């Protein structure tokens, strides 16, 4: 009997078989052979792959003739069990560039093989590897080369995606025009940026009416500077900032600086002195219309008959300023002007 049946038997490697020969009378002896070699009866064994001829022989006795019976056992290869992971996951993985990936595969038999984009990386099996091989998708392939008792395991695949989610660094250099008021119509912008995958730097400047100008420099360097001077067309308030971009679409911006430009002299018109003429010690009112984007004060300079000079500050708003001068202590002509 083979596992209790009088018939041939097919099994997979790793399974045991029980081959037993019996007779229902006392005379004679039974001998069990496997491929011509005498074995124990019964034989309980785990056999390697192949075809085995089991023959049970009975020797002749006074009352019984010799006899034999043969059955075949076919042992086929087993399929190894393979498990494979990326950082402990049995699915695709997305990681940041320069972080670690641990690709691993295990099998209960045979030789485990591991490939990344076709290159053999079996030596990395189970090791923490720095993902320094660039941005993009990487195809990990795992398989098992079998042996005499085990089949090969066909390839299985997992995808590793290496990404860059870090923003570039960007900063204004010290010679960049600061926020505030200035009388020069020149604005200087000097900006630097750094990133492993820096793509471009864009300088954006615009006025208080929203008129905007963009200037962009492209780069394939890891650090870049962008310098520009521009002369504003007229007095007013101007704004500027800069933004750095990398090849993954990450961006980072400087703060926005605000510069109030007052490069033009104040506009003075309708200067009046009343009454005119006056008596000694009589006060006179000096008035003027003065306009300017960033007017700080309006001062009238008065030249006395003896050529000495006195200054008085006019007060007012909305372009109209005035003050009373009472220093008419000399006979003669007094000259007033706005300085």
């Amino acid at each position: 009997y083979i596992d209790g049946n009088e018939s041939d038997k097919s099994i997979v490697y790793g399974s045991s078989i029980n081959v037993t020969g019996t007779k229902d009378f006392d005379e004679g002896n039974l001998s069990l052979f496997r491929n011509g070699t005498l074995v124990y009866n019964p034989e309980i064994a785990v056999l390697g792959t192949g075809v085995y001829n089991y023959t049970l022989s009975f020797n002749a006795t006074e009352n019984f003739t010799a006899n034999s019976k043969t059955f075949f056992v076919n042992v086929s290869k087993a399929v190894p069990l393979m498990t494979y992971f990326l950082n402990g996951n049995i699915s695709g993985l997305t990681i940041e560039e320069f972080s670690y990936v641990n690709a691993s595969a295990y099998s209960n038999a045979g030789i485990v093989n591991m490939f990344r984009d076709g290159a053999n990386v079996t030596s990395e099996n189970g090791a923490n590897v720095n993902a320094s091989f660039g941005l993009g998708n990487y195809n990990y392939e795992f398989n098992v080369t079998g042996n005499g008792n085990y089949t090969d395991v066909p390839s299985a695949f997992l995808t590793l995606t290496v990404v860059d989610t870090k923003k570039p660094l960007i900063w204004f250099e010290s010679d960049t025009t600061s926020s505030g008021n200035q009388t020069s119509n020149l604005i200087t912008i000097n900006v630097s940026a750094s990133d492993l995958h820096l793509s471009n730097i864009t300088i954006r400047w615009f006025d208080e009416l929203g008129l905007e100008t963009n200037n962009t420099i492209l780069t394939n360097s890891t650090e870049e500077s962008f310098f520009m001077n521009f002369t504003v067309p007229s007095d007013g308030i101007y704004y500027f900032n800069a933004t750095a971009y990398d090849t993954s679409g990450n961006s980072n911006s400087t703060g926005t600086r605000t510069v109030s430009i007052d490069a033009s002299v104040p506009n003075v018109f309708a200067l009046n002195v009343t009454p005119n003429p006056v008596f000694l010690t009589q006060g006179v009112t000096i008035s003027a219309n003065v306009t300017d984007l960033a007017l700080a004060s309006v001062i009238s300079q008065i030249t006395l008959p003896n050529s000495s000079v006195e200054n008085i500050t006019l007060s007012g708003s909305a372009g109209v300023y005035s003050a009373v001068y009472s220093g008419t202590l000399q006979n003669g002509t007094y000259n007033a002007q706005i300085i």
Side-chain angles (χ1 to χ4, degrees), residues 184-245:
S184 169
N185 60 359
L186 180 68
I187 293 179
T188 297
I189 303 175
N190 189 5
V191 63
S192 297
S194 67
D195 189 90
L196 288 174
H197 308 285
L198 192 62
S199 173
N200 66 77
I201 303 172
T202 296
I203 292 176
R204 172 176 173 258
W205 67 275
F206 50 100
D207 62 21
E208 54 194 317
L209 299 179
L211 182 63
E212 181 175 324
T213 301
N214 292 326
N215 298 85
T216 298
I217 182 173
L218 302 178
T219 181
N220 57 7
S221 174
T222 58
E223 185 165 329
E224 188 68 65
S225 294
F226 191 7
F227 178 89
M228 64 176 294
N229 283 324
F230 64 91
T231 302
V232 300
S234 61
D235 290 354
I237 301 175
Y238 294 86
Y239 310 87
F240 64 88
N241 56 41
T243 302
Y245 299 87

Side-chain angles (χ1 to χ4, degrees), residues 100-120:
Y100 286 95
V101 58
N102 187 317
S104 56
Y106 308 94
S107 178
N108 62 336
I111 299 173
V112 174
N113 307 296
M114 189 170 73
F115 303 86
R116 181 174 59 241
D117 282 355
N120 192 314

